[in-house]
Amino acid sequence: MIRLALLLFALGAAWLQSEPALPARPGLWLLLALLPLVVLLLQRGLGWSRRVAVGVLALIVGYHYAAWRAELRLADRLDAVWEGRELTLVGRVYDLPQTTAQGWRLRLRVQAVEPVAARVPSQVLLTHMARAGRTWARPAAGACVQLRARLAIPHAPYNPGLFDYEAWLLEQGLRATGHVTAAPVEAEGCDGAWRAWLDGQRERIRTRLIAALADRPYAGVVVALAIGDQDAIPDAQWTLFRHTGVIHLMSISGLHVTIFSALVYALVQFAWRRAPRLCLWWPARKAGLALGLAAAAAYVALAGFGIPAQRTLYMLAVVVAGLWAGWPLSPGRILAAALGVVVAIDPWAALAAGFWLSFGAVAVLMYAEYGRLRPAPWGWAWARAQWAIALALTPPLLVLFGEVSLIAPLANAFAIPLVSLVAVPLVLLAALVPLEGLAGGAHAVIALTVQGLEWLDRLPHAVWSAARPSASAIGLALLGAALLLLPRGVPARALGALLFLPLVFPRLERPPPGGFWLQALDVGQGLAVVVRTAAHTLVYDTGPLYSSGADAGARVLVPSLRAQGVTRLDALVVSHDDTDHSGGALSLAAAYAPGVTLTPLAGRPPSSAHGQAIRGRLPAARPCAFGQHWAWDGVTFQVLHPPPHHYANPYYADNERSCVLRVQGRHGSVLLVGDIERLGELSLLERVPDSLASEVLVVGHHGSRSSSMPAFLDAVAPAFAVISVGHRNRFGHPHPEVIERLMARGVRILRTDRDGALRLRFTPAGVRIERARWDERRYWHAPAAAPP
């Protein structure tokens, strides 16, 4: 019954994380009102009624406990009146500050603020973007500093099924973000000296390891295994680790902490038993348990008490406490107790993929070994464990990441011993003992491991990508895994394979013939639009390059297309050279190899280095020009701008040469105009005034004042206007005058900064609108205007 209660307590806390708003206080009074009934059932009820009573109570308690903790965290906030205003902050640099491509980033635990009337959260995430004449030294880890900054309430682009940055900030306790506006200076009076000492030691270890490894390719992995700092691992290596299913091995993870603790436990027991006096003073088993847990705690401290590492420490503490006290603990009770402790300490654990995967993997191993009459040879047992984890975790991996590594069992079979048993001890020795050769030895082991991973990654079909599965497909696949993992000889065991069929061959939703869908992804200050017909897909613009060096193609477009089950990209249109429209083109083309590419970049040499790279990497691209047209599945596509002679005129700005595309289906049309301004709009009004009318207008230049002239809006006469724009962007888009023009014409305005990703379905009943930030709203999402 205790296991049931702990499980439902955790499920109640997870349930709260799916709510659009926190429950009202009357829910707590309902809980108190139910207590007498629960007590009565526990005292006089039958076995089943007791279980039901305990389960219901645990579920409700978990839900409201998580709600109470969420209220406390949300109360630690930045008042809207202070958003964007310059403030003076005094605080301690918490954790390790990071050097970024264009500056640095750090967490600050705020101790004081000026003006004193300002209400700011206790912990904020700050960035510094270096510019000419304004490059400031990065503060050291643990330093007490004074700086000036402008803060903002957490807000991030939101796309269905992709990473929710606001949820991550909530779990980390970061309730405001901002940028530094003046050079940090040393301050006094900050508390938290012990944590400052710890972070200072971690930074010294990082500096020493990087110096020892110089420019070796896997120095970032060595640092990540030592202190949990993953920022020095390049994106290409992360891609390899993801494709081979070993991401959990390349930083401080629960597996490394557990194996290191077990190694210390075994070594202490081995040495302790050879000292009879020590055994008389303290039993070898208890000494091993205590020092093994202490070693795990030290490793977690070296990782900066990262939340995933903390979860492992709590699990180990539960195991050690039970074994120390001699409780009759079954593996199921240990897992349930650890689950309850982790959720009680961190109710937001359900937001992290690692929470589900770590507990799920342990539960799968316990289930796969349950009821076995005799132990298998170690090699067979190891292979069976890898098979069980790969099979059972396939459904959640598809939900969380949209892909599954088919070579992960093979990769983990050799990578886990090499990394966890050889590399990690060498890394820890190199971190604690400044001897030459230790860091190099750890790097050599990792390099050997990576060589094997690269060989596996070159195998055909190493990674399987699929559409985001439905809830029913996930449930059937999990049931199928449970059947397949039963011992041989169990009747109907092989039928489990059939239950995977809905996952492998999902029923994908598509527009009907003659219909189409338009999706404006939320990429911040930029534009990325996906147009889907019954059997074809077109992408219009690919979003921005981000300051971190990443781009919207890799971060948003490719994962979103894969989640929808898109396996082929029939056409790519890059409207013009600006990087907020073309930033993700290379990443998208590398993942999908579009059938045809239309862009003004092919008609005239681009002025930017990024545009030149696109032109060089997409040699088959054709100039986008008036008169091009085609039809897919009863939907017509017409290029209305630019006319061919615009390419010969050097005085046209890139914006004015934007590729303008009109899509006409059986039940409506849309006009995509890129960044055209007045000159481009006048050209369209002069040449094709009768071809502009459309139900939906993707507003030009993000709603800039230089676009959307009254005459142009009158010619288009849209019912809906889509504005792709970044939250609180520095350009002030969309301009109030443009909003007034649209509202004066009765146009319904849809904005990605307020609505998240937008999907418009053109149906016989009209345009059906889906807005991710409202349709999938969670209680932590930044407040926005009420939905119209």
Side-chain angles (χ1 to χ4, degrees):
M1 194 177 294
I2 292 177
R3 279 178 289 189
L4 175 66
L6 290 171
L7 175 61
L8 288 173
F9 172 81
L11 289 177
W15 175 21
L16 187 277
Q17 311 312 325
S18 66
E19 293 286 73
L22 293 179
R25 295 284 177 147
L28 297 176
W29 295 110
L30 175 62
L31 175 63
L32 294 175
L34 287 174
L35 281 176
L37 175 61
V38 172
V39 172
L40 182 64
L41 287 173
L42 288 174
Q43 290 178 345
R44 300 185 181 182
L46 300 175
W48 68 267
S49 61
R50 290 182 180 179
R51 287 186 175 86
V52 170
V54 168
V56 171
L57 181 62
L59 186 71
I60 296 175
V61 168
Y63 181 87
H64 284 284
Y65 170 77
W68 170 64
R69 291 286 303 276
E71 280 188 356
L72 295 179
R73 182 150 293 183
L74 293 182
D76 183 30
R77 68 181 188 275
L78 172 70
D79 278 349
V81 69
W82 296 103
E83 189 173 26
R85 297 172 64 177
E86 194 170 55
L87 302 171
T88 300
L89 305 177
V90 176
R92 179 85 68 183
V93 177
Y94 179 76
D95 208 353
L96 293 178
Q98 304 295 335
T99 299
T100 65
Q102 298 186 15
W104 43 260
R105 177 178 62 245
L106 59 80
R107 300 185 185 196
L108 187 73
R109 286 202 163 175
V110 180
Q111 311 277 322
V113 60
E114 179 67 34
V116 293
R119 179 178 177 178
V120 302
S122 57
Q123 190 174 177
V124 298
L125 182 65
L126 300 175
T127 59
H128 164 56
M129 303 288 288
R131 297 191 183 97
R134 208 188 75 167
T135 301
W136 303 320
R138 189 193 70 189
C144 181
V145 297
Q146 176 180 304
L147 50 79
R148 296 186 66 80
R150 297 183 188 273
L151 301 181
I153 297 169
H155 188 287
Y158 186 77
N159 296 279
L162 302 189
F163 179 66
D164 187 345
Y165 185 59
E166 291 178 47
W168 181 82
L169 289 173
L170 177 79
E171 186 189 13
Q172 298 292 318
L174 296 165
R175 299 301 303 137
T177 60
H179 62 275
V180 179
T181 59
V185 296
E186 187 176 348
E188 296 180 352
C190 298
D191 57 19
W194 73 271
R195 179 62 198 242
W197 175 85
L198 174 63
D199 288 337
Q201 295 299 318
R202 295 174 65 221
E203 187 165 49
R204 280 187 279 275
I205 291 172
R206 177 173 67 179
T207 302
R208 180 158 48 81
L209 289 176
I210 291 175
L213 295 173
D215 296 327
R216 299 191 195 183
Y218 308 112
V221 178
V222 174
V223 172
L225 290 173
I227 58 173
D229 178 16
Q230 305 175 12
D231 281 23
I233 301 178
D235 288 342
Q237 292 180 17
W238 280 126
T239 300
L240 173 67
F241 301 151
R242 188 180 72 248
H243 284 180
T244 52
V246 298
I247 281 183
H248 61 292
L249 298 180
M250 298 306 168
S251 183
I252 296 179
S253 66
L255 178 65
H256 296 328
V257 174
T258 302
I259 291 179
F260 178 65
S261 178
L263 279 174
V264 172
Y265 167 77
L267 290 173
V268 169
Q269 273 215 104
F270 177 81
W272 208 272
R273 292 181 191 279
R274 279 146 185 80
R277 291 187 179 180
L278 289 177
C279 291
L280 291 174
W281 174 64
W282 208 13
R285 187 179 186 224
K286 289 191 174 182
L289 288 172
L291 294 179
L293 182 61
Y299 196 9
V300 171
L302 201 58
F305 293 99
I307 290 176
Q310 284 187 45
R311 286 198 291 263
T312 303
L313 182 62
Y314 303 149
M315 292 174 66
L316 290 174
V318 170
V319 174
V320 168
L323 294 174
W324 185 286
W327 297 334
L329 293 178
S330 66
R333 287 179 179 174
I334 292 174
L335 187 65
L339 180 67
V341 169
V342 166
V343 172
I345 295 174
D346 178 17
W348 300 278
L351 297 174
F355 169 80
W356 299 102
L357 296 178
S358 58
F359 276 102
V362 175
V364 167
L365 291 175
M366 290 167 46
Y367 174 80
E369 294 301 318
Y370 181 76
R372 305 281 176 179
L373 297 179
R374 60 179 182 272
W378 72 268
W380 176 251
W382 180 254
R384 187 167 63 196
Q386 294 301 318
W387 155 252
I389 290 175
L391 182 69
L393 295 188
T394 291
L397 283 171
L398 274 182
V399 173
L400 295 169
F401 304 113
E403 63 182 22
V404 175
S405 172
L406 300 181
I407 56 175
L410 291 175
N412 280 277
F414 74 85
I416 288 176
L418 283 173
V419 176
S420 296
L421 298 180
V422 182
V424 167
L426 286 174
V427 165
L428 291 178
L429 283 173
L432 301 176
V433 182
L435 290 178
E436 292 186 10
L438 289 175
H443 185 275
V445 175
I446 293 167
L448 177 64
T449 305
V450 171
Q451 287 181 8
L453 297 177
E454 289 175 338
W455 182 84
L456 287 174
D457 192 40
R458 287 193 290 269
L459 294 175
H461 309 297
V463 178
W464 172 48
S465 299
R468 186 177 178 86
S470 64
S472 59
I474 296 168
L476 289 173
L478 290 175
L479 179 59
L483 287 174
L484 290 171
L485 294 177
L486 290 171
R488 285 180 295 177
V490 174
R493 174 172 170 262
L495 292 178
L498 297 178
L499 298 179
F500 270 82
L501 292 178
L503 192 75
V504 178
F505 304 103
R507 183 179 179 182
L508 300 177
E509 192 179 12
R510 302 177 188 275
F516 71 95
W517 300 341
L518 179 137
Q519 185 179 30
L521 293 167
D522 189 2
V523 294
Q525 183 66 16
L527 180 66
V529 173
V530 179
V531 179
R532 296 187 64 194
T533 67
H536 295 81
T537 302
L538 175 144
V539 169
Y540 181 95
D541 281 344
T542 59
L545 281 171
Y546 297 122
S547 59
S548 63
D551 63 75
R555 288 276 182 90
V556 181
L557 261 171
V558 172
S560 179
L561 290 172
R562 286 177 174 166
Q564 297 175 59
V566 175
T567 58
R568 184 185 75 247
L569 181 59
D570 299 283
L572 168 63
V573 178
V574 179
S575 68
H576 63 296
D577 193 13
D578 286 359
T579 55
D580 59 334
H581 292 250
S582 64
L586 294 178
S587 296
L588 179 65
Y592 274 97
V596 63
T597 301
L598 298 176
T599 175
L601 302 178
R604 183 176 180 84
S607 56
S608 72
H610 183 71
Q612 293 168 10
I614 295 175
R615 183 183 171 106
R617 294 271 294 276
L618 299 174
R622 303 204 305 258
C624 184
F626 170 61
Q628 294 167 329
H629 62 91
W630 65 95
W632 289 337
D633 313 312
V635 179
T636 60
F637 295 77
Q638 296 175 284
V639 176
L640 303 181
H641 189 80
H645 69 270
H646 277 206
Y647 290 113
N649 190 333
Y651 298 104
Y652 279 109
D654 286 337
N655 284 358
E656 301 292 13
R657 269 194 292 263
S658 291
C659 186
V660 175
L661 181 68
R662 186 175 184 271
V663 184
Q664 174 70 61
R666 189 175 298 166
H667 308 297
S669 59
V670 61
L671 187 66
L672 300 118
V673 298
D675 271 359
I676 62 167
E677 301 182 2
R678 287 187 177 89
L679 189 60
E681 292 178 354
L682 288 171
S683 175
L684 287 168
L685 289 171
E686 179 183 356
R687 292 183 294 104
V688 287
D690 298 331
S691 299
L692 298 176
S694 301
E695 280 77 12
V696 176
L697 170 66
V698 179
V699 174
H701 206 180
H702 319 286
S704 167
R705 186 181 184 182
S706 60
S707 301
S708 303
M709 296 188 308
F712 182 74
L713 294 179
D714 291 337
V716 179
F720 302 92
V722 173
I723 304 177
S724 182
V725 66
H727 177 69
R728 293 174 59 85
N729 65 85
R730 62 190 178 93
F731 307 102
H733 295 159
H735 196 278
E737 286 186 16
V738 174
I739 297 298
E740 290 176 7
R741 293 173 201 163
L742 293 168
M743 294 180 65
R745 288 162 176 79
V747 181
R748 181 177 174 184
I749 300 171
L750 305 169
R751 296 172 50 166
T752 56
D753 60 334
R754 296 181 179 177
D755 301 319
L758 296 159
R759 175 176 288 171
L760 286 73
R761 303 177 188 239
F762 293 80
T763 70
V767 180
R768 177 180 155 198
I769 300 170
E770 299 171 7
R771 300 176 302 160
R773 191 170 276 275
W774 292 104
D775 298 339
E776 301 182 10
R777 186 164 184 79
R778 297 294 181 264
Y779 67 84
W780 58 80
H781 284 153

